[in-house]
Amino acid sequence: ALLADRGLDPAREPLWLFGHSDGATIALLHAAAFPGVAAGAVVIAPHLWVEDVTLAGLRGARRDFLEGDLRTRLTRWHDGPDSAFWGWNGVWLDERFHGWSIVDEVGAIRCPLLAVQGTEDEYGTLEQIRSVARRVPGTVLLELPGCGHVPHRERPRELIAAVTRFVARSADPP
């Protein structure tokens, strides 16, 4: 319905999915649920399950939001920083969510994937994207040494170059 509302027809013009963190997870779920709709996907720091490092990072973010300057920094990106923060942090730290996983769903993906993860990501490990690669043949991995959770801010030139190469190669296969 969203695609139709926006006048997008994947049968006429294949879509490329691009997501970061929870948005990357959404891109993976979309590609799995609607085969043939996505020409390809770039997923940066996706979550396939809840890791201990994720929970530790979220607890640290909660402290920074309550006691530090995270709320102020979020106003740059969100009109409602409280709603954005608690809608994200509250769900992930809810004990009922700790068994959540999309590992099984990812295996249904058939489009080209570029999966990106920083080696110093405070919310996830390299095992997240490596798990994607084990389940989706042909997945291209980009592991960024010394990079945290936000490669598009921390390593923009390297990320843009990798995405450009990947899309060009995937859009025009030999």
Side-chain angles (χ1 to χ4, degrees):
L2 174 65
L3 297 177
D5 182 62
R6 299 290 184 250
L8 299 171
D9 179 3
R12 206 172 20 105
E13 185 175 3
L15 302 176
W16 278 86
L17 305 175
F18 190 103
H20 168 252
S21 194
D22 289 356
T25 302
I26 292 167
L28 289 171
L29 286 169
H30 186 84
F34 302 101
V37 169
V42 176
V43 294
I44 302 168
H47 305 285
L48 276 65
W49 68 91
V50 181
E51 295 181 283
D52 289 340
V53 69
T54 308
L55 298 175
L58 289 158
R59 289 183 190 108
R62 181 174 283 193
R63 276 191 304 280
D64 193 20
F65 190 83
L66 294 171
E67 303 167 11
D69 69 342
L70 180 56
R71 184 182 188 286
T72 301
R73 289 180 299 163
L74 288 176
T75 60
R76 179 175 181 197
W77 310 106
H78 300 282
D79 291 335
D82 294 296
S83 175
F85 180 80
W86 294 115
W88 163 70
N89 191 271
V91 169
W92 277 92
L93 287 178
D94 187 315
E95 288 184 15
R96 295 171 293 179
F97 191 66
H98 294 182
W100 169 87
S101 170
I102 65 162
V103 169
D104 292 337
E105 288 86 345
V106 168
I109 296 173
R110 297 293 172 256
C111 67
L113 286 179
L114 171 62
V116 182
Q117 188 87 31
T119 63
E120 305 304 316
D121 189 333
E122 61 270 37
Y123 297 109
T125 66
L126 293 171
E127 186 54 30
Q128 296 282 342
I129 63 169
R130 290 174 181 171
S131 182
V132 171
R134 284 192 299 274
R135 287 162 177 79
V136 182
T139 296
V140 175
L141 297 181
L142 175 59
E143 298 175 2
L144 296 169
C147 185
H149 187 65
V150 193
H152 48 284
R153 277 197 253 147
E154 297 173 54
R155 305 274 282 283
R157 287 190 180 112
E158 191 172 345
L159 180 63
I160 290 168
V163 170
T164 301
R165 283 190 307 271
F166 174 75
V167 170
R169 187 178 68 236
S170 299
D172 297 317

